[in-house]
């Protein structure tokens, strides 16, 4: 048995047949898009850390196509995800050699932080990703 579930539907609530659950999780994506403040005129470098199947990036690219988007996940099939206007990479945020310094204007962490026992190193790595 693989330690990773299938990438499609990795967060099943986004695909729930229950309309209330589906609406709640879709609304979370809308709120995240608003919170990210992607509406400015200058192109931004945006990372979706723990991107899964790329649902947040689909919405972000559709609404704000001028930015440069990346999705990172530890899932072995993440590089097979296709969202026009976004690039996907398999990255372990806790492996410093894989993490470029000061690369992004925005880093979103949706449905990922709860998977880490110790948030200190993760948040330090995310801080290091952000441009000054």
């Amino acid at each position: 048995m693989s330690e990773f579930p299938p990438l499609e539907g990795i967060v099943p609530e986004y695909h729930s047949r229950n309309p209330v659950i589906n609406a709640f999780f879709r609304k979370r994506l809308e709120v995240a898009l608003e919170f990210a403040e992607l509406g400015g005129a200058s192109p931004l470098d945006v990372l979706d850390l723990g991107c899964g199947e790329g649902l947040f990036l689909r919405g972000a690219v559709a609404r704000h196509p001028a930015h440069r988007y990346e999705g990172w996940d530890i899932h072995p099939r993440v590089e097979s995800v296709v969202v026009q206007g976004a690039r996907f990479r398999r990255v372990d945020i806790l492996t410093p050699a894989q993490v470029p310094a000061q690369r992004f204007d925005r880093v979103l962490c949706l449905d990922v932080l709860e998977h880490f026992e110790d948030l200190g190193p993760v948040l330090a790595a995310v801080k290091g990703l952000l441009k000054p």
Side-chain angles (χ1 to χ4, degrees):
M1 187 165 134
S2 170
E3 72 177 282
F4 292 97
L7 187 57
E8 297 76 22
I10 198 163
V11 181
E13 291 81 2
Y14 289 113
H15 305 286
S16 176
R17 291 185 181 181
N18 180 321
V20 174
I21 292 172
N22 189 282
F24 174 77
F25 276 82
R26 297 290 171 169
K27 182 64 177 177
R28 289 176 73 231
L29 292 176
E30 293 293 326
V31 169
L33 278 167
E34 290 175 29
F35 181 74
E37 296 182 353
L38 300 175
S42 299
L44 299 172
D45 293 298
V46 180
L47 172 63
D48 181 4
L49 179 65
C51 63
E53 61 186 285
L55 291 175
F56 171 80
L57 291 173
R58 288 180 209 289
V61 169
R63 287 174 181 79
H64 307 286
H67 302 315
R68 294 171 293 273
Y69 295 99
E70 287 192 32
W72 291 3
D73 204 293
I74 196 167
H75 196 286
R77 292 190 42 227
V78 70
E79 292 176 344
S80 69
V81 175
V82 177
V83 172
Q84 199 71 356
R87 178 177 162 219
F88 292 84
R89 294 181 48 212
R90 184 176 188 201
V91 175
D92 180 349
I93 189 70
L94 297 178
T95 303
Q98 295 183 9
V99 180
Q102 300 180 346
R103 165 80 175 78
F104 296 98
D105 298 294
R106 306 280 191 280
V107 177
L108 287 296
C109 303
L110 306 172
D111 301 310
V112 68
L113 294 178
E114 67 273 17
H115 297 285
F116 294 95
E117 248 179 70
D118 184 2
L119 287 178
V122 177
L123 295 177
V126 168
K127 182 180 178 185
L129 288 168
L130 290 167
K131 293 177 183 177

